Amino acid sequence: MEARIEHIKQQLQSQGYKLTPQREATVRVLLENEEDHLSAEDVFMLVKDKAPEIGLATVYRTLELLSDLHIVEKMNFGDGVARYDLRHESSKHHHHHLICVVCGSVDEIMDDWLLPLEERLAKEYHFKVLDHRLDFQGVCWRCKDKEPEDMNKK
Amino acid sequence: MEARIEHIKQQLQSQGYKLTPQREATVRVLLENEEDHLSAEDVFMLVKDKAPEIGLATVYRTLELLSDLHIVEKMNFGDGVARYDLRHESSKHHHHHLICVVCGSVDEIMDDWLLPLEERLAKEYHFKVLDHRLDFQGVCWRCKDKEPEDMNKK
DNA sequence: ATAGGTGCAAACTGTTTGCAATCGT
DNA sequence: ACGATTGCAAACAGTTTGCACCTAT
């Protein structure tokens, strides 16, 4: 964990940015919630525990910066709220999301199932794929047992 | 075209809603721009030609209503703007998007390539898929020839 | 008359920005 | 001292909502 912070610090410094206390606190929150797809507001509230004086704008600026440096990934499920995830060190991992329409949970699956499709796209549509995202809406295993009372969204 | 409006009218009426002139004008705009992924503001401006007195709120309400009835699909590429598309009559078609990072164009491909994956999800993750979306970011055939000068986003 | 629908303006939400104060080197 | 960074508040964009009016039954 310290090693990963150190690594991020170097990434920042190599681009002329500093790892300020606020930025470090933000990164730590992201590290501690790596699987959670936090919104900026979520991050803000968690960071306040570590650095109570921080402002929401700083969190936004930090997340934006980290996103520009491809240290975090900014994503966006259809609800108009940006969510942020630390990118995993190795490989441009493509994660896919299982979004439960009942409880709102977002699980991740990491397999890269789409390589064959990308090849097909290149061939049939002459489209050069740089990245992709794949989200499934449905019912997660946790909710599948409960009675299906409220399956209509909102 | 008139037939499709008639069909939508019946869908509305079967749920107790009316096809008011404003709603009809909105639907016509969607029909005339079926491939365009219009934002609410786009729709608003186009509808004003047909029904100048219409308010933006009505457009939002209409799009929301049509979305609830699954007549249009509300979608959202990462830019914080909701976009709307008429759903194609037949089948719950899953369209996938080819988003060009150079020119911003959004092409659609209609094939349903993911059925095998959905089966695998059910088996391996016990996730019941209701819908999915798949977007590819990359370079479209139109831009691929031009020199690759400006590949950095924003 | 009554319920649904509309236009307008105000409210709200998530995000960005201007700016003066502050920090680290 | 200098440029980068911060906190705050105000600005912003897209969307939603409250409400009085309207319009078909």
Side-chain angles (χ1 to χ4, degrees):
Chain A
M1 157 113 172
E2 296 308 316
R4 295 189 62 186
I5 296 218
E6 194 56 33
H7 182 219
I8 288 167
K9 182 175 180 179
Q10 283 165 14
Q11 289 179 267
L12 283 171
Q13 290 180 341
S14 74
Q15 307 288 316
Y17 301 107
K18 305 169 188 170
L19 184 64
T20 63
Q22 292 91 330
R23 286 178 183 165
E24 181 171 338
T26 304
V27 169
R28 284 187 187 277
V29 163
L30 292 173
L31 274 168
E32 290 163 7
N33 298 274
E34 241 178 317
E35 303 301 317
D36 277 0
H37 309 91
L38 301 175
S39 69
E41 207 95 26
D42 294 337
V43 174
F44 177 55
M45 281 171 13
L46 291 167
V47 170
K48 282 237 260 197
D49 295 342
K50 299 181 195 299
E53 76 296 349
I54 199 173
L56 178 55
T58 299
V59 171
Y60 272 106
R61 282 186 284 233
T62 301
L63 292 171
E64 175 77 18
L65 174 62
L66 295 175
S67 176
D68 287 350
L69 299 184
H70 299 102
I71 295 169
V72 312
E73 180 174 4
K74 181 176 182 177
M75 72 200 77
N76 178 310
F77 313 110
D79 58 355
V81 192
R83 307 193 119 80
Y84 301 85
D85 252 10
L86 265 199
R87 278 177 187 261
H88 294 222
E89 302 274 328
S90 59
S91 79
K92 40 181 232 171
H93 90 298
H94 297 298
H95 43 201
H96 310 148
H97 296 109
L98 302 182
I99 305 166
C100 179
V101 299
V102 179
C103 68
S105 68
V106 180
D107 293 330
E108 268 186 21
I109 51 180
M110 211 71 75
D111 303 281
D112 210 343
W113 289 350
L114 297 185
L115 290 178
L117 293 192
E118 294 192 1
E119 284 163 25
R120 197 169 145 189
L121 271 182
K123 250 183 227 120
E124 295 181 19
Y125 292 85
H126 304 99
F127 188 85
K128 180 177 154 207
V129 175
L130 298 174
D131 199 1
H132 65 231
R133 64 177 281 177
L134 172 56
D135 298 339
F136 293 92
Q137 278 87 36
V139 186
C140 71
W141 58 272
R142 288 171 291 262
C143 293
K144 218 154 64 164
D145 302 327
K146 305 184 211 155
E147 53 184 349
E149 73 210 36
D150 178 43
M151 297 273 298
N152 32 2
K153 39 184 77 168
K154 168 167 292 176
Chain B
M1 159 113 172
E2 296 309 315
R4 295 187 65 186
I5 296 217
E6 193 57 32
H7 182 218
I8 289 168
K9 181 174 180 180
Q10 282 165 14
Q11 288 180 269
L12 284 170
Q13 291 181 341
S14 75
Q15 308 287 318
Y17 301 108
K18 304 171 191 168
L19 184 65
T20 63
Q22 291 92 330
R23 287 178 182 165
E24 181 171 338
T26 304
V27 169
R28 284 186 187 276
V29 163
L30 292 173
L31 273 168
E32 289 162 9
N33 298 274
E34 241 177 315
E35 303 301 315
D36 278 0
H37 309 91
L38 301 175
S39 70
E41 208 94 26
D42 294 337
V43 174
F44 177 53
M45 280 171 14
L46 291 167
V47 169
K48 282 237 258 197
D49 295 341
K50 300 181 193 301
E53 77 295 348
I54 200 173
L56 178 55
T58 299
V59 171
Y60 272 105
R61 282 187 284 231
T62 300
L63 291 171
E64 176 77 19
L65 173 63
L66 295 175
S67 176
D68 287 349
L69 299 185
H70 300 100
I71 295 169
V72 312
E73 181 174 3
K74 182 177 181 175
M75 70 198 79
N76 179 312
F77 312 110
D79 59 354
V81 191
R83 307 194 119 79
Y84 302 84
D85 252 11
L86 264 200
R87 278 178 188 260
H88 293 222
E89 301 274 327
S90 58
S91 80
K92 40 179 232 172
H93 91 297
H94 298 299
H95 45 201
H96 310 147
H97 296 108
L98 303 182
I99 304 167
C100 179
V101 301
V102 179
C103 68
S105 68
V106 180
D107 292 330
E108 270 186 19
I109 51 180
M110 212 69 78
D111 303 280
D112 210 344
W113 289 349
L114 297 183
L115 291 177
L117 293 191
E118 295 193 0
E119 283 162 24
R120 196 169 145 191
L121 270 182
K123 251 183 224 119
E124 296 180 20
Y125 292 85
H126 305 98
F127 187 85
K128 179 176 153 207
V129 175
L130 297 174
D131 199 0
H132 66 231
R133 66 177 279 179
L134 172 57
D135 298 339
F136 292 93
Q137 278 87 36
V139 187
C140 72
W141 58 272
R142 287 171 291 262
C143 294
K144 216 151 67 166
D145 303 326
K146 304 185 215 158
E147 54 185 351
E149 73 209 38
D150 178 45
M151 298 275 298
N152 32 2
K153 37 185 79 170
K154 172 171 292 176

